[in-house]
Amino acid sequence: MIASGVVIMSSTVVTAVVTYHYGLGPASAADLKTDNFWLLYNKPWIRIRAYQVGIVGGWIYWKYGQALQDCVKRIPEWRKVLIAGPVWAATCAIQWAVVFGLYDDIKK
């Protein structure tokens, strides 16, 4: 677990250093002509965070999954809806900001 955290933090630092050093900004991953693809997206040591988050999430589910399911089963349905509504709205807002928030920067 500690090793996964170290890998995630190291990858984050490497991404920040490379981005700062080359002065990279937001760009479309489909644009193969920019340096962003070749310096950031294409490198495995930068993309490993997604895999590590999956590994850590799988381990947490394997270790605590049954206890979490039992805990959720005890929560009344109205409270689940009350919790899920704002979480769903925040998730939609974040997705909207990620997809459309950088539109003008990418089109430059």
Side-chain angles (χ1 to χ4, degrees):
M1 190 61 124
I2 293 173
S4 292
V6 169
V7 169
I8 291 170
M9 291 304 298
S10 300
S11 177
T12 302
V13 169
V14 168
T15 303
V17 168
V18 169
T19 302
Y20 179 76
H21 182 273
Y22 289 103
L24 301 175
S28 173
D31 188 7
L32 299 177
K33 297 174 188 166
T34 64
D35 288 339
N36 287 10
F37 180 81
W38 299 109
L39 293 173
L40 289 177
Y41 184 76
N42 201 25
K43 306 300 182 199
W45 55 85
I46 291 179
R47 297 179 65 197
I48 196 168
R49 282 179 299 203
Y51 302 112
Q52 286 299 116
V53 167
I55 290 170
V56 170
W59 179 82
I60 289 171
Y61 184 72
W62 172 77
K63 185 84 171 166
Y64 303 107
Q66 190 61 46
L68 289 172
Q69 288 177 1
D70 294 341
C71 181
V72 169
K73 286 179 184 176
R74 289 192 304 258
I75 298 174
E77 290 298 321
W78 67 270
R79 190 169 287 171
K80 290 179 189 176
V81 172
L82 191 65
I83 293 169
V87 170
W88 182 81
T91 302
C92 287
I94 291 169
Q95 291 175 356
W96 186 86
V98 168
V99 171
F100 298 111
L102 298 174
Y103 180 80
D104 292 334
D105 293 328
I106 292 173
K107 288 297 178 186
K108 286 182 182 178

